[in-house]
């Protein structure tokens, strides 16, 4: 069975960008592949952060992932598998400074930190994080990595690191992982559809998958659509396209076709109010089960936490095995486990 690895940062709530761009796919893939999914808390330290919030967010996202359908046996917490950081160091020596300077996410995130404060602190961790990501992927010798399109460059870097490592040690040790892109590649911000939906843009820009119905409807209702008269000119603006993408991703394929037909019909001209209502209805229908399940899981907090600690320990064994072999191949010393 081929192996899948993916990961998510515990930076707060899961929004529809994360869900349609990543988690929905994680859930589906569990039937076909051996899946390993990490909550990568080491990555969450790369931006200014609060330690007690980090621990809280890590557990919070685990409960959320389970409520969305991820099996607990497939989940681990990155800091319970410290081999990631050890392999990350080794990989630092197989990655060039130039490669990291070309990572667009580093540029975006450092700009974000600097936005309010020109002299803001940009950590080496933020710069180096794609190398840790390569370790996350390669330590499980994953065949496929389901991610959003924004992670393409990081995956390419992981392949370069793997190739360089293989060449240096003279063995095809690492398989080169491939990306698996989900159908809805990118969900846009509701308030500024030129940007991708992201929590860091602010409250008006995203919707949590556990959002209460009333706020969900309100946020969809005020989503930005056309700025001028795009519809009459036959141009679909990014905000409108975003609504259609969400409708389809929420499982309403037929309704999506039908409304696209109306949208394109010059005689009819679909009203955006109707489109938004259809999107909100479909999202509410989809998320009501998630909200219920999350409540049930939270009622058994202690048990679930123990379960995740155990699955992390089990998954760690795979990582230990790889690291042992990597150290052997790299000329480092190995203590017996
Ligand atoms: P992040 O919260 O940025 O760590 O993202 C977690 C996962 O969700 C990654 O696989 C991202 O590619 C994906 N993702 C985040 N935001 C979006 C978005 N707006 N549209 C599609 N996928 C996204
Ligand atoms: N960098 C990814 C993001 O920003 C999160 C991530 C960390 C990841 N390690 C990974 C994704 C390994 C896939 C595989 O979303």
């Amino acid at each position: 069975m081929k192996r899948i690895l993916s990961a998510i940062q515990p930076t707060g709530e899961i929004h529809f960008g994360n869900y349609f761009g990543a988690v929905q796919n994680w859930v589906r893939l569990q039937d076909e592949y051996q899946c390993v999914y990490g909550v990568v808390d080491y990555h969450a330290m790369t931006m200014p952060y609060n330690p007690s919030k980090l621990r809280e967010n890590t557990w919070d996202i685990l409960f959320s992932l389970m409520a969305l359908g991820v099996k607990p046996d497939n989940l681990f917490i990155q800091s319970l598998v410290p081999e990631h950081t050890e392999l990350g160091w080794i990989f630092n020596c197989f990655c060039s400074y130039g490669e990291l300077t070309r990572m667009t996410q580093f540029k975006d995130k450092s700009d974000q930190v600097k936005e309010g404060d020109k002299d803001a602190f940009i950590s080496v961790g933020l710069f180096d994080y794609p190398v840790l990501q390569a370790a996350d992927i390669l330590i499980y010798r994953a065949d496929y990595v389901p991610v959003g399109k924004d992670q393409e460059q990081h995956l390419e870097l992981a392949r370069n690191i793997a190739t360089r490592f293989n060449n240096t040690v003279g063995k095809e040790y690492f398989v080169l992982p491939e990306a698996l892109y989900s159908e809805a590649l990118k969900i846009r911000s509701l308030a500024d559809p030129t940007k991708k939906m992201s929590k860091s843009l602010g409250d008006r820009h995203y919707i949590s998958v556990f959002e209460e119905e009333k706020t969900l409807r309100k946020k969809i209702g005020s989503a930005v659509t056309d700025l001028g008269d795009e519809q009459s000119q036959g141009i679909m603006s990014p905000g409108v396209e975003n609504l259609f993408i969400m409708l389809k991703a929420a499982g309403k394929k037929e309704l999506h076709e039908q409304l696209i037909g109306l949208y394109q019909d010059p005689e009819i001209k679909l009203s955006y109010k109707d489109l938004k209502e259809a999107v909100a209805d479909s999202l509410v229908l989809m998320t009501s089960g998630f909200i219920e399940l999350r409540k049930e899981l939270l009622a058994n907090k202690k048990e679930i936490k123990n379960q995740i600690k155990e699955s992390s320990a089990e998954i760690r064994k795979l990582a230990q095995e790889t690291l042992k072999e990597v150290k052997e191949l790299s000329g480092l010393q190995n203590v017996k486990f």
Side-chain angles (χ1 to χ4, degrees):
M1 211 178 196
K2 297 268 189 194
R3 192 178 287 161
I4 292 249
L5 177 286
S6 200
I8 192 162
Q9 288 200 35
T11 39
E13 300 145 291
I14 297 183
H15 54 65
F16 282 102
N18 304 133
Y19 183 68
F20 290 136
V23 182
Q24 191 180 41
N25 226 22
W26 289 15
V27 174
R28 289 192 192 126
L29 292 165
Q30 295 180 121
D31 301 330
E32 261 180 83
Y33 298 95
Q34 184 195 355
C35 296
V36 182
Y37 297 132
V39 172
V40 286
D41 47 357
Y42 284 126
H43 283 273
M45 300 171 77
T46 58
M47 296 282 271
Y49 83 105
N50 169 323
S52 60
K53 233 7 241 146
L54 173 59
R55 189 165 296 129
E56 192 184 308
N57 285 344
T58 298
W59 285 113
D60 193 60
I61 206 154
L62 281 157
F63 284 100
S64 298
L65 290 171
M66 286 174 63
L68 296 172
V70 181
K71 294 178 190 155
D73 285 355
N74 295 341
L75 285 166
F76 73 96
I77 300 177
Q78 191 186 29
S79 59
L80 291 178
V81 187
E83 285 73 17
H84 286 239
T85 50
E86 194 173 347
L87 184 61
W89 174 261
I90 296 173
F91 282 173
N92 273 329
C93 306
F94 290 87
C95 178
S96 74
Y97 172 78
E99 278 176 307
L100 288 185
T101 57
R102 289 192 290 274
M103 295 292 121
T104 56
Q105 199 176 61
F106 172 69
K107 289 179 205 153
D108 292 348
K109 288 202 171 179
S110 48
D111 285 349
Q112 232 176 65
V113 177
K114 280 191 276 192
E115 223 157 61
D117 172 8
K118 268 203 310 18
D119 306 314
F121 182 78
I122 310 287
S123 74
V124 174
L126 183 64
F127 183 65
D128 194 33
Y129 131 147
V131 178
L132 182 59
Q133 179 165 355
D136 299 339
I137 297 167
L138 294 167
I139 207 162
Y140 299 106
R141 282 172 286 150
D143 299 287
Y144 300 112
V145 187
V147 279
K149 203 81 183 163
D150 59 328
Q151 296 298 314
E152 194 171 23
Q153 214 185 9
H154 291 168
L155 199 74
E156 198 47 45
L157 183 80
R159 293 162 59 87
N160 289 343
I161 291 176
T163 307
R164 218 169 275 135
F165 180 88
N166 290 348
N167 289 342
T168 303
V169 304
K171 188 178 173 185
E172 291 300 303
Y173 179 69
F174 285 115
V175 285
L176 300 189
E178 282 176 41
L180 271 188
Y181 298 118
S182 60
E183 205 186 334
L185 297 175
K186 186 172 162 189
I187 305 295
R188 297 167 181 277
S189 149
L190 301 171
D192 179 1
T194 61
K195 302 207 168 90
K196 75 166 195 169
M197 181 177 284
S198 161
K199 209 180 158 247
S200 53
L201 291 174
D203 199 48
R204 289 179 309 124
H205 294 262
Y206 75 97
I207 312 180
S208 155
V209 287
F210 300 102
E211 192 75 72
E212 276 180 34
E213 177 171 350
K214 206 170 137 204
T215 1
L216 188 152
R217 289 191 184 278
K218 204 165 146 223
K219 283 190 177 180
I220 292 290
S222 48
V224 169
T225 52
D226 291 345
L227 299 173
D229 198 17
E230 286 90 337
Q231 191 177 359
S232 309
Q233 297 168 32
I235 303 167
M236 191 184 280
S237 44
V240 177
E241 191 185 12
N242 199 35
L243 291 169
F244 275 117
I245 288 176
M246 287 196 278
L247 185 65
K248 193 169 171 194
K252 299 285 177 193
K253 292 214 169 75
E254 275 175 33
L255 185 60
H256 173 265
E257 297 272 295
Q258 199 186 334
L259 295 185
I260 287 265
L262 293 180
Y263 176 82
Q264 287 165 341
D265 189 332
E267 308 272 296
I268 295 175
K269 214 175 173 190
L270 170 73
S271 100
Y272 290 149
K273 186 168 168 287
D274 292 345
L275 172 62
K276 285 175 171 179
E277 216 165 276
V279 174
D281 287 346
S282 69
L283 296 180
V284 167
L285 185 71
M286 185 182 81
T287 56
S288 58
F290 302 159
I291 294 171
E292 274 311 300
L293 191 52
R294 193 166 192 281
K295 271 192 206 138
E296 280 171 35
L297 291 167
L298 285 172
N300 295 305
K301 230 177 187 168
K302 208 166 157 216
E303 231 171 80
I304 308 278
K305 280 191 173 183
N306 282 333
Q307 204 174 359
I308 297 294
K309 284 178 187 163
E310 274 169 33
S311 64
S312 299
E314 209 42 52
I315 288 171
R316 185 177 179 192
K317 291 180 189 162
L318 301 172
Q320 284 176 320
E321 203 178 295
T322 303
L323 190 66
K324 193 172 158 219
E325 289 169 356
V326 164
K327 287 174 84 172
E328 205 59 50
L329 289 166
S330 313
L332 294 162
Q333 304 297 318
N334 245 322
V335 272
K336 292 212 163 56
F337 288 112

